[in-house]
Amino acid sequence: IYTYPDESASKTWSSSTTIKELTRAARSTGFFQVANHGVPLRSLRTLQQYSRRFFDLPFEKKAEVGRLL
């Protein structure tokens, strides 16, 4: 779990530090979770619902999305 630093830590934590920490976590474990980011729980749950709907699709449908990007 990556705990996003609060405002009092902003002098010692930069966006490049955050990016490096997230990259390290993704490379070493394949995933990460960010805490204290300020995104409302309702928004996170909505995102989770859409993610599940997407990943439940057949591979061919998901592949179509990649071709659109």
Side-chain angles (χ1 to χ4, degrees), residues 49-58 61-63 65-66:
Q49 289 172 346
Y50 280 107
S51 296
R52 283 192 182 117
R53 287 174 50 193
F54 174 76
F55 286 107
D56 285 344
L57 292 172
K61 288 287 186 186
K62 289 185 277 195
V65 173

Side-chain angles (χ1 to χ4, degrees), residues 2 4-5 9-25:
Y2 175 79
Y4 197 80
S10 63
K11 292 178 183 172
T12 57
W13 281 82
S14 66
S15 60
S16 64
T17 301
T18 300
I19 291 168
K20 287 176 187 175
E21 287 294 312
L22 294 177
T23 300
R24 183 187 58 77

Side-chain angles (χ1 to χ4, degrees), residues 37-51:
H37 44 65
V39 178
L41 184 57
R42 184 176 182 166
S43 297
L44 293 173
R45 288 195 173 139
T46 299
L47 176 61
Q48 210 171 35
Q49 289 172 346
Y50 280 107
S51 296

